[in-house]
Amino acid sequence: MRKEAITIRNLCYTYPDGTKVLEDVSLEVYEGERIAIVGPNGAGKTTLLLHLNGILRGSDGQVDVFGKSVDKVKREEIIKDVGIVFQDPDDQLFMPTLFDDLAFGPINMGLKEDEVRERVEKTILSLGLMGYENRCPHHLSGGEKKKAALAAVMSMEPRILVLDEPTANLDPKSRAELIKIVKDLNEREGITVIMATHDVNAVPALADRVFVLNKRVIAEGTAQEIFSDGDLMNANNLGVPEVFKLFEVLRCFGYNCEELPLSIDEAIEHLTRTVEVNGGHIHLHIHEHTHDEVKKLRSKYEHH
Amino acid sequence: MIEYPEIDRYASLDSPMHRFDPRAKVIAFLFLIFSIVLLNDLKLVLIGFIVSILFLIASKLPFHFVIQHLKGVSLFILPFLVIMPFTVKGNEIFSFYAIKVTYEGLRYGILVVLKAFSAVMLIFPMIATTKFETTLKALDKLKVPNILVQMLMFTYRYLFVFVNVFQRLLIAMESRGFKLGTSSYALRTIGNALGMLFVRSYERAERVYLAMRSRGYAGSQKTLVGFKMCTKDYVLAVFIIAFAVCLHIVCYAGVGVV
């Protein structure tokens, strides 16, 4: 039986100016799971994330963390369980040096000085930030800042890690590194990961389940299920991974597959399997209907 | 590339002033600064001035760095040397029609200028030989109200961010043909950009506050520091404070009254 890490029931939220951001959002996240929340700009993703540790409180609805309502528990208790990494590291790193930033959370949790130092050291080691302890945030690169922001939350050792656009504004290497770090944290320490993202290519690697949010929860499913639903994608300004598109094209040329791969790893596996089944090669061809199908496919992804 | 105001640039050099414990450093130099500023005896102020220069030399800060910062300050200080001799009443040195130059005025002018430069020069070994954040932590340890230390910390942390934002705004404007100048159009545009900067600062402040609360902020900002006073810190601090006190004892004893 899987334990529920976060349960949201009928959550509504309205900005002070009257704009509705969240309408009747309900979802649950199980312990150790990796969740991606995707949706267009202004869909309320960030607002939803801020409810997860009680920073924002819905006028309506209920948010439970490990079975306890965030409205009833003191915030000092919730932040031990739920750590939020904000999108802009400059918002997150507000102390003069990296060490101070990593120590900030643990100190506020009331830990003793040697425990705080131990946690800071451990976090620095596990995220590969050795030698950066005394650096000021404005002397870090974008990728380093993002890692530092993650470290500042990880030093509190949360059981649930909430990430707002973790891969935004990163160069490909830093992006890959960050994805690996988050994956490792989930696999090694069983941390539940919830992230809001526009980076569809990162979703297959980082999410067991995907929620499509557009003020309300539009859809929920595995990455495979969500990305296969072309109408759903179009209606919510979303895209699908490039690998997925490529295999859709291959399918028009007669490549035989039921489930399209979403990542390079899956593609390699898929191709290997197909080649083995077909006696050492892949057969592609052009029929009369191939051109029509390719045309249909292209128009599908032009976001009309 | 964007240039940041670098107050920390020479904080990692090595000199007796750099090795001085930050807490003792702040207290000792503040003591000395107030002592010199409150003196009223030209000879003693001159001694204070020379000692300030010696401390500055002991701090091994590069000459151009000091000059660069003294230039700005001079704009405010040097006018006293020109104004005072003409405005203070007293014994005339010479007069030219209605304009009189007085001995007392000249003495006052020199006094003010020497005091001001001494104070500013002592700020260098006090502030520029420690990383600014360390100075702030020292202030916190010295029981300066936490709210004040927090304000300074945030100023220090976000000054660079806002400089960055404003420079990006300017670059964006210039790349669309805007020319910096004093025409009413240019000033109005700069005004708009500044307004934009305020809006962004406000929004950022809100996000930072959310991030702080997410990590358990409850009104005070605490951190860990490993300051350690050793014998030479005590000796140096006592020496500086004793010197500061001596200046006043000598002054009251009337030894060097001009």
Side-chain angles (χ1 to χ4, degrees):
Chain A
M1 185 60 198
R2 287 191 302 176
K3 200 171 152 199
E4 281 175 2
I6 285 184
T7 320
I8 301 175
R9 290 268 161 269
N10 311 102
L11 183 70
C12 300
Y13 187 81
T14 311
Y15 279 147
D17 68 0
T19 321
K20 279 188 180 168
V21 211
L22 297 175
E23 291 174 39
D24 204 21
V25 170
S26 296
L27 56 86
E28 57 273 319
V29 178
Y30 297 98
E31 200 172 5
E33 222 184 356
R34 299 173 307 170
I35 297 293
I37 298 171
V38 298
N41 292 327
K45 296 190 292 292
T46 303
T47 311
L48 178 63
L49 297 188
L50 288 176
H51 278 87
L52 298 182
N53 69 351
I55 286 291
L56 289 181
R57 288 169 188 222
S59 44
D60 226 353
Q62 169 126 9
V63 180
D64 290 353
V65 175
F66 292 116
K68 287 175 282 184
S69 163
V70 293
D71 293 329
K72 293 185 186 115
V73 184
K74 274 199 209 149
R75 192 165 50 241
E76 296 89 84
E77 292 301 311
I78 310 167
I79 57 167
K80 285 182 193 167
D81 284 333
V82 185
I84 301 190
V85 182
F86 288 73
Q87 183 180 352
D88 184 346
D90 275 329
D91 295 340
Q92 183 107 41
L93 304 169
F94 41 75
M95 296 292 278
T97 68
L98 188 68
F99 176 89
D100 297 327
D101 248 314
L102 264 58
F104 183 86
I107 290 175
N108 286 327
M109 285 161 70
L111 297 182
K112 288 199 207 77
E113 184 171 333
D114 46 342
E115 283 177 294
V116 173
R117 288 189 188 278
E118 201 176 293
R119 282 208 181 187
V120 170
E121 207 168 301
K122 193 178 144 203
T123 314
I124 280 179
L125 279 177
S126 82
L127 291 193
L129 285 165
M130 287 78 79
Y132 288 90
E133 290 90 336
N134 292 319
R135 291 263 210 116
C136 311
H138 57 266
H139 285 153
L140 298 176
S141 74
E144 290 162 351
K145 272 192 204 175
K146 203 90 177 187
K147 256 202 323 195
L150 177 61
V153 169
M154 287 317 298
S155 64
M156 300 173 72
E157 300 185 354
R159 294 156 75 191
I160 302 172
L161 180 61
V162 178
L163 304 153
D164 196 356
E165 299 279 3
T167 55
N169 297 325
L170 292 182
D171 65 44
K173 186 167 171 268
S174 311
R175 175 178 169 277
E177 201 183 349
L178 197 99
I179 290 176
K180 190 172 176 308
I181 289 173
V182 173
K183 244 178 124 163
D184 281 355
L185 286 173
N186 172 266
E187 280 162 16
R188 266 188 297 144
E189 303 180 27
I191 295 171
T192 310
V193 177
I194 301 171
M195 63 161 191
T197 186
H198 287 296
D199 184 356
V200 287
N201 289 303
V203 169
L206 277 182
D208 305 316
R209 259 190 323 146
V210 180
F211 285 94
V212 179
L213 185 78
N214 196 352
K215 295 197 164 130
R216 49 180 77 236
V217 177
I218 306 283
E220 182 237 308
T222 61
Q224 183 66 242
E225 286 160 4
I226 297 292
F227 288 132
S228 303
D229 189 341
D231 295 335
L232 176 74
M233 294 289 101
N234 270 340
N236 293 289
N237 300 1
L238 296 169
V240 301
E242 293 295 324
V243 174
F244 185 89
K245 283 189 207 168
L246 175 65
F247 275 77
E248 274 188 296
V249 173
L250 287 175
R251 191 152 66 176
C252 299
F253 286 91
Y255 182 80
N256 191 10
C257 54
E258 288 286 305
E259 272 203 347
L260 297 170
L262 295 166
S263 62
I264 294 289
D265 287 344
E266 281 180 41
I268 292 169
E269 198 183 306
H270 208 279
L271 281 171
T272 314
R273 203 168 352 111
T274 318
V275 171
E276 276 168 4
V277 170
N278 290 330
H281 62 271
I282 297 176
H283 179 72
L284 297 181
H285 56 249
I286 295 182
H287 279 310
E288 304 115 56
H289 56 81
T290 305
H291 297 295
D292 293 337
E293 278 175 17
V294 170
K295 219 165 136 190
K296 241 166 68 188
L297 191 64
R298 291 177 79 153
S299 68
K300 180 169 134 194
Y301 289 119
E302 272 163 16
H303 282 289
H304 291 304
Chain B
M1 205 36 221
I2 284 158
E3 264 192 46
Y4 295 113
E6 286 280 20
I7 43 177
D8 283 351
R9 193 178 301 158
Y10 298 106
S12 46
L13 299 179
D14 189 38
S15 81
M17 292 300 116
H18 286 80
R19 286 191 296 266
F20 198 7
D21 181 273
R23 290 165 300 176
K25 184 157 43 179
V26 168
I27 295 216
F29 279 114
L30 276 181
F31 220 93
L32 186 55
I33 288 173
F34 276 103
S35 160
I36 293 177
V37 168
L38 294 175
L39 280 176
N40 225 346
D41 182 297
L42 193 55
K43 276 183 201 158
L44 290 174
V45 169
L46 196 62
I47 292 174
F49 181 74
I50 291 165
V51 168
S52 305
I53 293 178
L54 292 180
F55 274 121
L56 190 54
I57 292 170
S59 71
K60 290 189 185 163
L61 294 170
F63 188 65
H64 66 88
F65 175 75
V66 175
I67 290 298
Q68 182 197 336
H69 287 86
L70 280 182
K71 265 196 285 189
V73 182
S74 311
L75 276 179
F76 293 95
I77 300 178
L78 288 179
F80 283 100
L81 202 53
V82 182
I83 296 165
M84 297 300 256
F86 295 103
T87 49
V88 176
K89 287 200 173 66
N91 300 323
E92 283 174 30
I93 300 175
F94 66 86
S95 60
F96 185 73
Y97 296 105
I99 302 165
K100 292 170 190 147
V101 174
T102 65
Y103 171 76
E104 275 79 6
L106 192 63
R107 184 179 159 274
Y108 259 127
I110 293 173
L111 202 61
V112 168
V113 168
L114 285 183
K115 281 183 189 185
F117 272 117
S118 306
V120 174
M121 283 191 304
L122 284 173
I123 295 279
F124 284 93
M126 181 169 102
I127 300 281
T129 57
T130 321
K131 284 175 88 179
F132 192 62
E133 40 98 2
T134 313
T135 307
L136 292 181
K137 285 172 194 165
L139 289 180
D140 195 43
K141 285 279 156 197
L142 290 170
K143 303 277 181 252
V144 171
N146 188 264
I147 194 86
L148 202 67
V149 176
Q150 279 187 53
M151 280 165 63
L152 286 169
M153 274 202 185
F154 282 119
T155 309
Y156 174 65
R157 169 66 184 92
Y158 285 100
L159 183 67
F160 301 103
V161 176
F162 291 136
V163 166
N164 206 332
V165 168
F166 192 66
Q167 288 188 339
R168 283 208 312 261
L169 276 173
L170 274 185
I171 290 169
M173 281 155 60
E174 277 167 5
S175 58
R176 281 184 287 160
F178 173 75
K179 279 196 187 66
L180 216 54
T182 48
S183 69
S184 78
Y185 168 74
L187 289 176
R188 205 163 55 233
T189 314
I190 290 288
N192 285 339
L194 275 175
M196 202 60 216
L197 185 67
F198 287 137
V199 172
R200 289 198 189 174
S201 317
Y202 177 76
E203 287 174 351
R204 182 177 297 278
E206 276 196 341
R207 290 198 304 271
V208 172
Y209 181 57
L210 289 180
M212 293 175 68
R213 288 209 306 174
S214 293
R215 273 156 59 204
Y217 176 76
S220 72
Q221 209 172 17
K222 286 162 263 172
T223 185
L224 303 177
V225 275
F227 291 143
K228 233 189 191 147
M229 289 277 283
C230 52
T231 324
K232 70 173 181 20
D233 293 318
Y234 285 111
V235 171
L236 191 51
V238 167
F239 171 75
I240 293 175
I241 292 172
F243 174 73
V245 173
C246 276
L247 284 177
H248 279 268
I249 293 175
V250 172
C251 187
Y252 282 114
V255 178
V257 174
V258 179

